[in-house]
Amino acid sequence: MKIEQLYTGCLAQGAYYIESEGEVAIIDPLREVQQYIDKAEANNSKIKYILETHFHADFVSGHVDLAKETGATIVFGPGATTDYAIHSATDGEELKVGNITIKVLHTPGHTLESACYLLIDENGKDYALFSGDTLFLGDVGRPDLAIKSDLTKEDLAGMLFDSLRNKIMTLADDVIVYPAHGAGSACGKNLSKETVGVLGEQKRTNYALRADMTKAEFVEEVLDGIAPPPQYFAKNAMMNKMGYDTFETVLKTGNIPLKPEEFEALANHESALVLDVRTQADFIKSHIPNSIFIGLNGGFAPWVGALIKDIKQPIVLVVPEGKSKEAITRLSRVGYDNTLGYLEGGLEAWKEAGKDIETLESISAEEFAAKAKANKLNILDVRKDGEYLSSHLEGVQHLSLDFINEKMNEVDKDKTYYVHCAGGYRSVIAESILKARGYDKLIDVEGGFGAIKNTDLPVTDFVCPTTL
């Protein structure tokens, strides 16, 4: 028996490769599926099942493409309906993969069709639980994504309570837990940075698994402090339910080098968004007017999903040399499939063609501190609500990047703003969005709050985010 976790940091997502006696099951695959095919072929094995823990909202799964390529059966939990062929499993159904058995545990709550997969080894021992978004390390899945007219988030939270108590907490303490996500995912509130654990530890330490917890307490605590889901979640869930263009098609139509004149024409006449995915330092030094920065070196895909409202938005890319395929791949993971090409030769080719460029003003934290002590500044903190509440500069204006499109009118175009996040990535995203909308008095604070804390500017006392 072989179990391999294939973890993708940008999405904080774990896919799983399970193999026994030449047969393979893949759990929650990414959009680009060739990696799983290659792995199985290298081991002279055949992919038999593609197991989906639920209709994912935070990424587009590769189940449809993988089934087409391999003939494997797509398995969902009870009640799942799709526009393509699947096996909708029954609760307690057992699937054979070589010498091992995978038992389907229907665990509604995160979504109605949510299922966990219990791996039973060749000796009949419960060995590992692939818990999807039902149980994370340190948290449980948010129960507000599958709300219907006759079903509230409180109803789903109650279902999740029952699923955890009746299906998961009854398992032995030594069962290994392989969740679908870790820290950084918006599918829960306080996920652990660890990506593998054991059930006994979760029973002891996970707030949602307290033995003396009532259902009413569970519902209240699980729903408390959940931020609204990113706008792309519902769109990704629908793609996972209905199907999508093949990844190879998306790559073929998107990975096209464009001369500066072609690039400019698409931006001007086809209303294509210019998305700059280089580093924030490169963007600060020079960028195409009205381009939006979301760098590949940060939480690229989730920020694209949160900030670019139209999932079908035509996009043209400014990329580091050799990174066009990676950018298109990562866009496709969250359903942004309408890339039209990338700027061949990058900013150097753009400059050589005599095209306009712009810069962002940036100062060090030390320079910022000196200015702030000499004069009253307008300071914009674009970190998340929890980060801001934990500790912030006194007298700062807070506008979380997550909601910048909705709350942009809270920023005064006539004022100069010094903008910071935690480390410098998100502030440049925010500044690029504001700048493209006509806000031209923006100064980036290099290093963000992490650097500001090392100056002598007064900040509020730190409060642990888990207590908020």
Side-chain angles (χ1 to χ4, degrees):
M1 178 176 68
K2 177 180 181 180
I3 300 172
E4 186 172 352
Q5 182 185 68
L6 305 167
Y7 199 79
T8 303
C10 180
L11 297 172
Q13 187 267 343
Y16 295 93
Y17 177 97
I18 305 165
E19 179 186 303
S20 175
E21 297 296 314
E23 293 185 336
V24 173
I26 305 291
I27 299 180
D28 296 339
L30 283 184
R31 184 80 179 269
E32 62 278 16
V33 300
Q34 192 60 45
Q35 57 182 317
Y36 311 113
I37 297 169
D38 292 346
K39 191 175 290 291
E41 287 180 352
N43 295 326
N44 295 316
S45 296
K46 179 176 175 57
I47 299 174
K48 183 178 183 180
Y49 293 115
I50 304 157
L51 307 177
E52 289 288 334
T53 54
H54 62 293
F55 291 121
H56 300 282
D58 60 310
F59 72 101
V60 179
S61 180
H63 55 300
V64 176
D65 278 357
L66 189 56
K68 287 177 182 176
E69 293 288 334
T70 64
T73 300
I74 301 171
V75 179
F76 274 95
T81 58
T82 61
D83 289 3
Y84 47 86
I86 65 166
H87 174 66
S88 184
T90 57
D91 186 28
E93 182 174 349
E94 295 185 347
L95 308 170
K96 296 297 293 184
V97 178
N99 287 337
I100 63 174
T101 301
I102 296 176
K103 186 176 182 178
V104 180
L105 304 180
H106 186 208
T107 52
H110 177 64
T111 64
L112 290 175
E113 80 291 338
S114 283
C116 297
Y117 296 102
L118 178 63
L119 188 153
I120 303 169
D121 68 19
E122 59 186 26
N123 298 315
K125 184 182 186 304
D126 294 348
Y127 181 80
L129 181 74
F130 299 88
S131 57
D133 284 23
T134 297
L135 174 65
F136 299 126
L137 303 183
D139 204 354
V140 293
R142 60 189 300 162
D144 63 334
L145 299 181
I147 299 170
K148 297 183 178 180
S149 58
D150 60 341
L151 205 61
T152 67
K153 59 187 178 183
E154 287 78 12
D155 293 330
L156 283 161
M159 293 181 191
L160 184 58
F161 176 86
D162 292 334
S163 293
L164 291 164
R165 264 67 188 173
N166 300 330
K167 298 289 181 67
I168 292 179
M169 291 177 68
T170 56
L171 298 173
D173 286 358
D174 63 351
V175 170
I176 300 168
V177 177
Y178 290 107
H181 294 290
S185 169
C187 293
K189 292 185 294 186
N190 293 303
L191 283 67
S192 169
K193 293 180 180 179
E194 301 299 322
T195 62
V196 181
V198 292
L199 187 55
E201 182 181 3
Q202 291 307 300
K203 291 177 185 179
R204 291 188 299 273
T205 62
N206 191 318
Y207 78 98
L209 302 189
R210 293 199 311 269
D212 61 349
M213 195 179 213
T214 67
K215 182 180 285 192
E217 288 172 335
F218 176 91
V219 171
E220 181 181 359
E221 291 186 38
V222 166
L223 293 177
D224 182 48
I226 294 182
Q231 60 87 30
Y232 73 104
F233 269 28
K235 299 166 187 176
N236 276 198
M238 192 57 64
M239 289 179 71
N240 282 321
K241 189 178 177 69
M242 298 179 66
Y244 42 75
D245 290 337
T246 67
F247 172 69
E248 291 305 321
T249 297
V250 173
L251 194 58
K252 183 177 180 181
T253 57
N255 198 22
I256 297 172
L258 300 168
K259 301 294 185 186
E261 291 74 18
E262 299 172 303
F263 187 94
E264 188 174 41
L266 286 171
N268 290 340
H269 305 304
E270 299 296 331
S271 299
L273 173 73
V274 179
L275 182 61
D276 192 322
V277 304
R278 299 172 301 150
T279 66
Q280 58 262 36
D282 286 337
F283 186 86
I284 286 169
K285 289 176 185 174
S286 63
H287 56 266
I288 294 172
N290 296 319
S291 59
I292 301 301
F293 165 78
I294 306 178
L296 286 173
N297 62 334
F300 175 70
W303 281 121
V304 167
L307 298 172
I308 301 177
K309 298 298 185 182
D310 183 2
I311 203 166
K312 298 185 182 299
Q313 168 70 51
I315 294 171
V316 287
L317 294 167
V318 180
V319 299
E321 181 69 30
K323 292 289 187 177
S324 59
K325 182 177 179 181
E326 179 185 343
I328 294 162
T329 298
R330 291 171 66 177
L331 284 167
S332 76
R333 289 176 182 167
V334 285
Y336 290 77
D337 290 354
N338 200 13
T339 302
L340 304 180
Y342 66 93
L343 180 61
E344 186 176 22
L347 256 291
E348 289 306 313
W350 184 262
K351 294 173 188 175
E352 288 172 6
K355 307 294 184 184
D356 291 341
I357 61 165
E358 292 183 353
T359 62
L360 269 178
E361 186 175 351
S362 176
I363 63 173
S364 70
E366 291 75 17
E367 291 175 278
F368 166 71
K371 288 178 179 289
K373 283 184 285 188
N375 301 282
K376 181 172 175 53
L377 305 179
N378 300 303
I379 305 166
L380 195 61
D381 182 338
V382 299
R383 294 175 300 156
K384 290 181 180 291
D385 292 351
E387 295 173 280
Y388 170 79
L389 291 170
S390 293
S391 182
H392 57 265
L393 281 168
E394 294 180 357
V396 72
Q397 180 179 343
H398 178 235
L399 175 56
S400 174
L401 176 59
D402 301 74
F403 309 112
I404 194 166
N405 289 308
E406 292 79 13
K407 298 183 177 182
M408 197 175 296
N409 60 354
E410 296 178 10
V411 182
D412 189 338
K413 281 187 178 179
D414 295 328
K415 292 181 179 179
T416 297
Y417 285 89
Y418 292 79
V419 187
H420 78 82
C421 59
Y425 176 79
R426 287 173 289 173
S427 60
V428 179
I429 297 176
E431 290 151 7
S432 72
I433 293 171
L434 290 168
K435 198 162 181 273
R437 304 284 179 84
Y439 295 80
D440 57 3
K441 298 178 179 179
L442 306 169
I443 301 169
D444 186 70
V445 182
E446 185 180 350
F449 193 65
I452 291 169
K453 286 189 298 184
N454 294 325
T455 71
D456 56 359
L457 290 178
V459 299
T460 61
D461 292 336
F462 176 77
V463 179
C464 181
T466 59
T467 66
L468 294 172

